Amino acid sequence: DAGVTQSPTHLIKTRGQQVTLRCSPKSGHDTVSWYQQALGQGPQFIFQYYEEEERQRGNFPDRFSGHQFPNYSSELNVNALLLGDSALYLCASSSGRIETQYFGPGTRLLVL
Amino acid sequence: DQQVKQNSPSLSVQEGRISILNCDYTNSMFDYFLWYKKYPAEGPTFLISISSIKDKNEDGRFTVFLNKSAKHLSLHIVPSQPGDSAVYFCAATSEGYGNKLVFGAGTILRVKS
């Protein structure tokens, strides 16, 4: 079992561009959550997807959107990138109890 | 508004000694607390949790204590081992909060051999 995988591992974009990050959940998991971890801070909840719908959302602007596919994989899209969007983006999958939440290694995004 | 605070950015402990990591929260809605460990280039991994109906939970070398009146929890690692060196995150949630995890900023633990 490969666990949670994320792609790409690193990404460099410029202000105003758009980016798509991808996540494949751990086998057997049907819920995917996305977090943003800025330097020196803890992960901050962006949103959660279950049954292809956004179930919960954190305090992030509409520039952040997502999608979940029938195979439970997920994408995070960020439009009109700002310098402050530079961060590690973590994907976590789970099934049922929150302790079952497994995190991927993250995608490090740098916005120049 | 930081609802979960880890006020110690780093902690250094000798191998074999006890490590104590602290966490404070402000939101009274939180009723479930978790600790995660994170190594470089890896995602956080779940370590131990505690419900607000308990004041202590133990799992091997790891014990979490919860003081609801003080809105404070702590993670004890005994004995500390060099492999415990990592970033430790405290997180809080509740059903009323939609089971969203709210993380603290983390504490870097270094265990010296």
Side-chain angles (χ1 to χ4, degrees), chain A residues 81-92:
Chain A
L81 284 167
L82 304 174
L83 296 179
D85 295 332
S86 295
L88 179 69
Y89 288 85
L90 294 162
C91 170

Side-chain angles (χ1 to χ4, degrees), chain A residues 35 37 40-45 48 56-58 88 90 97-99 101-106, chain B residues 32 34 36 38 41-46 49 89 93 97-106:
Chain A
Y35 293 82
Q37 186 181 4
Q41 297 181 24
Q44 190 173 358
F45 178 81
Q48 182 183 84
Q56 294 285 346
R57 189 177 182 92
L88 179 69
L90 294 162
R97 290 171 57 84
I98 200 159
E99 293 92 336
Q101 187 165 228
Y102 279 75
F103 283 83
Chain B
Y32 203 75
L34 306 92
Y36 287 82
K38 186 180 186 302
E42 295 182 14
T45 54
F46 169 73
S49 62
F89 292 102
T93 188
Y97 210 69
N99 283 323
K100 295 178 288 190
L101 285 175
V102 180
F103 283 87

Side-chain angles (χ1 to χ4, degrees), chain A residues 30-98:
Chain A
D30 56 8
T31 302
V32 173
S33 301
W34 287 91
Y35 293 82
Q36 180 196 67
Q37 186 181 4
L39 198 62
Q41 297 181 24
Q44 190 173 358
F45 178 81
I46 303 175
F47 42 53
Q48 182 183 84
Y49 277 84
Y50 173 71
E51 292 189 342
E52 302 179 52
E53 290 193 0
E54 186 182 289
R55 183 160 68 171
Q56 294 285 346
R57 189 177 182 92
N59 190 24
F60 279 80
D62 292 344
R63 298 188 297 110
F64 289 77
S65 63
H67 190 78
Q68 185 179 35
F69 299 94
N71 66 353
Y72 307 120
S73 67
S74 177
E75 288 181 349
L76 164 66
N77 300 292
V78 187
N79 294 322
L81 284 167
L82 304 174
L83 296 179
D85 295 332
S86 295
L88 179 69
Y89 288 85
L90 294 162
C91 170
S93 71
S94 61
S95 177
R97 290 171 57 84
I98 200 159

Side-chain angles (χ1 to χ4, degrees), chain B residues 30-43:
Chain B
F30 292 144
D31 59 12
Y32 203 75
F33 305 90
L34 306 92
W35 285 93
Y36 287 82
K37 179 169 71 173
K38 186 180 186 302
Y39 293 119
E42 295 182 14

